[in-house]
Amino acid sequence: MSTTSSDPLVALGALPGVTDAVDSVRKAVDRVYGHRVMRRRSNEVTAEAALRGARGSAALSGADWNLEEVRRRTDFSSDDEARVVGAALRLTAEAGQLLSIWRQSPLRVLARLHLVAAGSAAPEDAVGRPRLAGEPVDEPLIEAPLPGADEVAGRLDGLSRIILSGSEAPALVTAAVVHGELLALRPFGSHNGLVARTAERIVLIGSGLDPKSICPAEVGHAEQGRAAYAAAFDGYLSGTPEGMAAWIGHCGRAAELGVRESTAVCEALQRGAA
């Protein structure tokens, strides 16, 4: 996040192409919220969006299960992939409970998310806290150089201050930066991708852009594919205006694909097929 503005997120929102992405997402979200099914069955759409979002996030972390398998399964402890899917489901369920705390203490929320994701699979003394110097990180897909523990602490503090300051930047920009920064830092020993995508979800909900949590960006990230996700993230890591704009645009496209998914759910509910 390298800009000269006193509010770096607002400066990012002014980058070429970002305004168009913000407007496109806003229009897409407004359309699905205006669907007639949302007037009486929004809780069902929210529940389905949560399930599909968790499936998408798990796919990016290496557990690419089909939706019906996620829906059917009750035991998520049998192997590594099952534990990833279980973690994604727990995080999605937890996200909506943390909105008020996020506005007061983002770092506390991140610690809680890691605790929920890791469960009993990680050593108790390593859960829910940023990693210490020399501690390893298990994170599939992201192969970028790992920042040291001191840098992680400093940048997490900076991210927290930006969130607490109440930036006037569009929700998409804030969500994309929170997502990208957590991927870059990988502050925990495990489950960083799942936590980063859940934090993105929390921002989109808490900002008022998607208050009913029916636009699962995780679906869109997965649909665009792991290679595209990693390539867009490289743009974030570059810190250049072009790279940052590309990452925000990628996150915007993910949100729009999530909208498309929930629109299909609305249509299925309307036909009585879901």
Side-chain angles (χ1 to χ4, degrees):
M1 294 185 296
S2 56
T3 71
T4 57
S5 169
S6 59
D7 186 337
L9 300 187
V10 169
L12 290 175
L15 291 174
V18 171
T19 299
D20 290 344
V22 168
D23 289 345
S24 184
V25 169
R26 175 77 268 176
K27 290 175 183 176
V29 172
D30 286 347
R31 283 195 299 272
V32 72
Y33 269 82
H35 197 286
R36 62 189 303 177
V37 165
M38 288 296 297
R39 292 197 293 270
R40 61 190 187 279
R41 302 181 72 176
S42 64
N43 288 343
E44 294 172 70
V45 181
T46 296
E48 190 65 19
L51 183 72
R52 296 180 185 217
R55 192 219 72 82
S57 192
L60 287 170
S61 287
D64 192 2
W65 290 12
N66 67 59
L67 184 62
E68 292 312 311
E69 175 66 10
V70 177
R71 200 190 304 279
R72 179 193 66 79
R73 184 74 73 96
T74 56
D75 178 13
F76 294 97
S77 62
S78 57
D79 55 57
D80 287 345
E81 285 196 7
R83 283 188 283 273
V84 168
V85 175
L89 288 167
R90 292 192 301 272
L91 285 171
T92 302
E94 189 79 4
Q97 311 302 315
L98 297 172
L99 297 176
S100 61
I101 303 173
W102 176 261
R103 299 184 187 103
Q104 301 168 9
S105 179
L107 299 186
R108 182 180 164 195
V109 169
L110 294 176
R112 173 64 184 170
L113 292 176
H114 185 246
L115 178 66
V116 168
S120 60
E124 186 175 343
D125 63 351
V127 173
R129 62 155 177 82
R131 55 187 168 81
L132 304 176
E135 288 185 328
V137 172
D138 178 16
E139 187 56 49
L141 183 60
I142 304 303
E143 299 178 351
L146 197 64
D150 289 343
E151 182 180 350
V152 168
R155 287 172 63 176
L156 281 177
D157 184 63
L159 184 63
S160 177
R161 287 199 305 271
I162 288 173
I163 294 166
L164 293 173
S165 71
S167 174
E168 296 182 1
L172 172 63
V173 174
T174 304
V177 168
V178 167
H179 184 170
E181 191 71 353
L182 292 174
L183 279 185
L185 296 178
R186 282 146 290 161
F188 304 110
S190 63
H191 300 91
N192 289 287
L194 294 175
V195 168
R197 291 184 288 276
T198 305
E200 179 186 46
R201 170 182 283 267
I202 289 172
V203 173
L204 293 174
I205 299 169
S207 67
L209 177 66
D210 181 23
K212 294 183 182 294
S213 190
I214 62 166
C215 306
E218 304 98 320
V219 167
H221 286 302
E223 186 169 333
Q224 292 178 91
R226 299 179 85 193
Y229 183 74
F233 176 59
D234 283 343
Y236 181 87
L237 287 177
S238 75
T240 64
E242 297 80 9
M244 296 297 287
W247 170 248
I248 295 168
H250 184 87
C251 291
R253 178 60 177 158
E256 289 190 64
L257 290 169
V259 168
R260 187 178 71 179
E261 188 86 354
S262 285
T263 300
V265 171
C266 288
E267 294 294 329
L269 287 170
Q270 186 167 286
R271 295 191 306 269

